[in-house]
Amino acid sequence: MARACSTAVPHNQSAPRETFVGWVDESPGRGTLHLIVTCLFTIFLCTWVVIHPRVCKRPLLRILHKVALFSKTLIAPEFIAVEGLQEWSQARRTVKDCANITENGLKLVHAFYIGMLALRYRTSHGDKVIWPNQYTWLLKERLIDWNDHARWGLSEENINDKSNADGTAKLIALVQVSWFAAQSIMRLVHGLPLSQLESMTLSYVPLFAITYLFWWVKPKDVLTPSIIDLPDMSEEQQATFESMAVSSAFDAEATKEQTTLWSIWYLTPRVFEKEAEDIAREEAHQKILREDEKGPVQRIERAGNISARISSHPAKETVVAHWDPNIYHSKLLWPMTCIFGASFGALHLISWDTRFPTAAEAWLWRGAALASIISLLIFMQFEKVVLRWFGPLTIISLVSPFIYLVSRAVMIGGVIAAFRASDPAIYDTYVVSTYWIHIV
């Protein structure tokens, strides 16, 4: 049983409630600088600390890639949560696919390590990524033995040694985020408003928590990959293995595609995307085979043209978003994903009744928060979004993320503008005079 007696103590009692205040100096209560530093520090912990980037061999690319992830997470924190969810889903699938062949020896930590491009094989020009589906295939074809996984750098001891996860940083993040959330709740309980910056900061917390949950066992900030030699294979096996590669953009063979700084913005492709591409190719090939109503010469000529078009299609298709089918079609995961996706915009609505200098600013804030929720939920209903015309729904699928980004820009601008004229009540504080905890 907990009992608390508290009183709200206005920090600026002399200020009439009809007025607004700008910068407020530090005092025994709250000041503007303290409020800003606390919020920005909490946002930093919810973004930079939670990021678990893929493995990049080049130090410059490694740093820039993490900065790029940080920037994306600041603007659209749902992005990093979705990344965590889809990586977790892929890792679970890898564990499941390898369960029998490894006698349940391959764990989530191994699957995450492989999925973050940390396992590679030597080539005459450098090294290439071994993707999760390729590693699973090598095991199933008995070309490698799970008992030799330590020699491939896949022992848990080696992975944990390479991981730079800092327990102290995680503890600081957990304590700070929990304390900030508790303080925000206490202010609301005492009838004190939150500033717009506090509402925005609080909105990062659920996504921070769910992302950390998905990445709890994922190695963090691995600097160097495990590079091995492939086992001997026949030409047919080698061709099959190489055809399973999800992408060549992350190999290290000094090609232009692999050395460009633009690669820091690339999303790490998933195995399900490769499988969807292979299915599309096979369906197109079967369609060609069915078109046999014309003469042999015409049919061969047309088949060659279509095959050439199919081969060039993936390079031209720009994928904006693509959901893992195991998540998108899940009756449990998908509704939860939508709820957490909407939580960021929804928590901004805590400041619905916060006093704004003008009615226009108040409704701009409210409208932007509602727009971010609705546009994101609409965008999430499309399993795959590409920059190609598929009918009127294409406009909705592409306009909705644009509306979301505009709403985010409006809310960020509202947070900054709010400090020129804020409700004095956001600087009021509460004092807990007695607080006793009894465990019955």
Side-chain angles (χ1 to χ4, degrees):
M1 173 181 174
R3 190 174 49 170
C5 177
S6 60
T7 56
V9 180
H11 167 67
N12 193 356
Q13 293 189 29
S14 60
R17 289 305 180 189
E18 293 75 18
T19 64
F20 292 89
V21 296
W23 186 274
V24 174
D25 294 330
E26 300 303 305
S27 71
R30 303 206 308 171
T32 305
L33 180 61
H34 177 267
L35 191 154
I36 292 175
V37 170
T38 300
C39 289
L40 293 184
F41 181 60
T42 304
I43 291 175
F44 175 80
L45 292 177
C46 289
T47 51
W48 182 265
V49 175
V50 79
I51 291 172
H52 289 57
R54 62 175 174 253
V55 176
C56 298
K57 289 184 65 178
R58 293 171 58 190
L60 178 61
L61 283 182
R62 185 187 313 129
I63 296 172
L64 292 179
H65 173 57
K66 192 167 183 179
V67 171
L69 284 177
F70 177 62
S71 302
K72 291 178 180 180
T73 308
L74 278 178
I75 298 171
E78 300 92 341
F79 160 81
I80 204 70
V82 169
E83 276 289 282
L85 173 59
Q86 301 214 118
E87 284 190 12
W88 173 79
S89 177
Q90 177 174 273
R92 280 187 64 202
R93 178 182 171 184
T94 303
V95 170
K96 181 179 179 180
D97 290 346
C98 297
N100 292 333
I101 199 70
T102 65
E103 297 181 347
N104 296 314
L106 189 143
K107 307 294 184 184
L108 268 179
V109 65
H110 302 111
F112 271 125
Y113 186 74
I114 297 170
M116 61 193 292
L117 317 187
L119 185 61
R120 298 166 177 262
Y121 67 95
R122 294 183 183 88
T123 68
S124 57
H125 300 290
D127 59 73
K128 289 185 174 183
V129 172
I130 297 180
W131 297 87
N133 57 328
Q134 291 179 306
Y135 184 76
T136 301
W137 181 84
L138 289 172
L139 284 172
K140 290 183 175 180
E141 292 294 314
R142 305 288 182 177
L143 292 169
I144 60 173
D145 191 329
W146 173 249
N147 292 327
D148 296 328
H149 70 279
R151 191 163 55 85
W152 277 45
L154 291 178
S155 67
E156 288 193 53
E157 293 78 10
N158 179 69
I159 294 174
N160 292 332
D161 184 59
K162 286 193 170 191
S163 175
N164 289 292
D166 190 342
T168 303
K170 286 185 177 181
L171 180 61
I172 292 174
L174 178 62
V175 171
Q176 172 61 24
V177 170
S178 300
W179 177 246
F180 182 87
Q183 282 188 314
S184 299
I185 293 171
M186 289 294 287
R187 285 189 63 82
L188 295 174
V189 168
H190 285 83
L192 298 175
L194 296 178
S195 68
Q196 290 91 320
L197 179 58
E198 288 174 301
S199 297
M200 179 176 288
T201 304
L202 196 61
S203 301
Y204 284 90
V205 174
L207 298 173
F208 160 83
I210 196 67
T211 306
Y212 242 139
L213 177 63
F214 289 132
W215 280 345
W216 189 255
V217 299
K218 182 184 176 182
K220 188 175 189 292
D221 293 332
V222 175
L223 302 182
T224 57
S226 300
I227 304 178
I228 53 88
D229 293 311
L230 284 178
D232 294 332
M233 289 185 272
S234 66
E235 289 186 9
E236 183 180 356
Q237 288 174 324
Q238 185 73 36
T240 300
F241 175 80
E242 292 182 357
S243 70
M244 296 175 70
V246 178
S247 172
S248 62
F250 306 96
D251 297 334
E253 293 188 311
T255 67
K256 184 178 180 180
E257 179 188 30
Q258 296 159 8
T259 56
T260 176
L261 290 180
W262 285 110
S263 65
I264 65 174
W265 297 100
Y266 295 168
L267 292 175
T268 305
R270 307 287 171 226
V271 172
F272 73 84
E273 296 176 277
K274 168 64 174 174
E275 292 173 341
E277 178 185 316
D278 290 344
I279 291 172
R281 286 178 180 276
E282 179 60 24
E283 289 176 347
H285 179 65
Q286 292 299 324
K287 182 179 179 181
I288 291 171
L289 296 179
R290 290 193 300 268
E291 294 175 344
D292 57 358
E293 70 282 358
K294 294 188 177 182
V297 175
Q298 290 175 307
R299 186 168 66 250
I300 292 172
E301 180 181 357
R302 185 173 54 156
N305 291 337
I306 295 178
S307 297
R309 189 162 66 251
I310 292 173
S311 299
S312 63
H313 174 71
K316 295 180 179 179
E317 185 175 77
T318 302
V319 179
V320 178
H322 194 178
W323 281 101
D324 186 333
N326 292 328
I327 298 171
Y328 188 81
H329 298 288
S330 170
K331 293 181 180 180
L332 176 63
L333 280 177
W334 183 245
M336 292 178 61
T337 301
C338 291
I339 291 172
F340 273 98
S343 68
F344 186 71
L347 286 172
H348 283 74
L349 295 176
I350 292 175
S351 293
W352 183 280
D353 291 327
T354 298
R355 294 173 63 234
F356 290 78
T358 65
E361 289 180 64
W363 283 107
L364 196 60
W365 174 271
R366 297 165 185 167
L370 291 172
S372 70
I373 298 170
I374 297 170
S375 60
L376 185 66
L377 287 176
I378 291 174
F379 180 63
M380 291 176 68
Q381 304 316 305
F382 295 91
E383 185 172 359
K384 185 178 182 180
V385 178
V386 297
L387 292 178
R388 198 173 61 170
W389 180 254
F390 290 103
L393 287 178
T394 303
I395 298 176
I396 298 175
S397 69
L398 295 176
V399 169
S400 54
F402 175 76
I403 293 175
Y404 172 82
L405 291 175
V406 171
S407 68
R408 285 290 294 125
V410 169
M411 288 189 287
I412 292 173
V415 165
I416 297 172
F419 285 106
R420 85 187 194 285
S422 301
D423 182 353
I426 69 171
Y427 296 106
D428 290 350
T429 58
Y430 62 88
V431 175
V432 179
S433 57
T434 59
Y435 192 78
W436 302 93
I437 298 178
H438 302 281
I439 300 178
V440 179

